[in-house]
Amino acid sequence: MISSTASSILRRAVTRLPAPTIGAVRNLNLHEYQSAKIMSDGGVNVPFGIAAHSVAEAIAAAKEIGDEEVVIKSQILAGGRGLGTFKSENGSGDGLQGGVHIIQTSEVESYASRMLGHTLVTKQSGPEGKPVNTLLLAKKMSLAREFYFAIMMDRASGGPLIIACSEGGTSIEDLAESSPEKIIKVAVDPVDGLTDAQAEEVVVGLTASGDKEAAKDQIKALYKVFVDRDCTMVEVNPLAEDYDGNLIAADAKIGFDDNAEFRQADVFAQRDPSQEDSREVAAGKWDLNYIGLDGDIGCMVNGAGLAMSTMDIISLNGGKPANFLDVGGSATTDQVKAAFEIITSDPAVKAILVNIFGGIMKCDVIAAGIIEASKELDLKVPVIVRLEGTNVDIGKKLLEDSGLSLITADDLDDAAVKAVAAIQ
């Protein structure tokens, strides 16, 4: 998953392509302090910092840093922290403005108390915000200039794309909108890797004023982290330059490909489920693809394309889908039951539409899962079922003999019409 900032820049800075097929992708994202450690281990210059999970740890961290001033940073998986606003878990917080502050060391206890355990709302977090369970206490740096730097996978070039800008900080989205010509784009061949000439192109484009060879080494180190750690994104905003001309990754954000979990076990052990949708976390445990939406008709479908079509037809008939849920092509009865549990955990769901086209997925397995879930979960919402494909007759017979009040449909349009009618 790329950040909203990087995604925005990529959309504006490169030629638009036809929209790819959309499916649920659970790519790991780490906190700044975790990303900074990985970068540091890879030879990237990062500010000295200490993570704190309690007020006492924050005070101790500031003491270890030993300066009169310290930077205190909220650790959430969303951008725009500096301009965010705090609220408490019950919504009655004191409304502390900003998730990043430069403060006196004597103020650490006060700020940490107002930040830890509270929810930070930013432009990228959504109105519900993200819980702050960790703070990063960092050494205040004397920075002369701020740049923007990111690496991500690019469909147009078929490999990694470096995106950089000589102006960084919180206004990068606005800059990409108003002055796209200032954005540097360097496509890297995934086989040849980052060449010396490409690293120099980035350094020149950033207008780095220090030792050019040292700056090139930092760009190469960032790219090496991207490759060696199976990243989907490495974003540094700002990539700063101190008064000695050294490049420093002043803020770090890294995303990882979940397909690489088997060889990046130490990285994936750092996953923070408190920052993710609990339903998506539950779906991941059952190897289901789930994305929560804001409608009231829950959807359980096999196949991303069919799931998208199902949501479209619900919308065309005046309804609003509550989720994207793909059970895949080989779901078991237990997975189907888990899917129902996840869907019904959303209090907004007033009806569930099951749309299965059985190829590899067998309709009788889905039917058995529906029956078991309906009985064990004591479903209170109407369930509309459309089955077609492998073992469809067996599946329909199981549903008919179940004695449950299920609403069957002949085709997808009929199912959508019945689902919308069921909640009116």
Side-chain angles (χ1 to χ4, degrees), residues 246-307:
N246 301 309
L247 290 185
I248 300 170
D251 194 354
K253 188 180 298 180
I254 308 180
F256 302 85
D257 187 344
D258 273 10
N259 291 311
E261 182 174 1
F262 72 98
R263 64 185 182 195
Q264 303 290 352
D266 61 323
V267 171
F268 281 78
Q270 301 177 63
R271 186 171 223 139
D272 183 358
S274 73
Q275 299 290 311
E276 304 177 33
D277 187 319
S278 61
R279 297 166 299 179
E280 293 183 20
V281 174
K285 293 178 180 177
W286 286 96
D287 199 24
L288 302 170
N289 293 321
Y290 177 93
I291 299 175
L293 303 174
D294 58 0
D296 50 15
I297 298 177
C299 304
M300 187 176 76
V301 190
N302 66 317
L306 189 59

Side-chain angles (χ1 to χ4, degrees), residues 99-165:
V100 178
H101 297 272
I102 299 174
I103 59 175
Q104 296 291 317
T105 296
S106 60
E107 298 178 295
V108 167
E109 181 176 4
S110 172
Y111 273 83
S113 298
R114 298 167 69 188
M115 297 165 80
L116 280 172
H118 295 278
T119 299
L120 180 61
V121 180
T122 76
K123 280 186 176 181
Q124 295 182 23
S125 71
E128 69 281 358
K130 298 284 187 181
V132 177
N133 300 316
T134 305
L135 297 174
L136 175 62
L137 281 295
K139 188 177 184 65
K140 180 184 175 183
M141 306 294 293
S142 295
L143 303 177
R145 303 170 64 202
E146 294 186 349
F147 313 127
Y148 177 87
F149 180 90
I151 312 173
M152 62 193 69
M153 296 304 294
D154 175 42
R155 290 179 181 271
S157 61
L161 179 71
I162 293 177
I163 298 175
C165 182

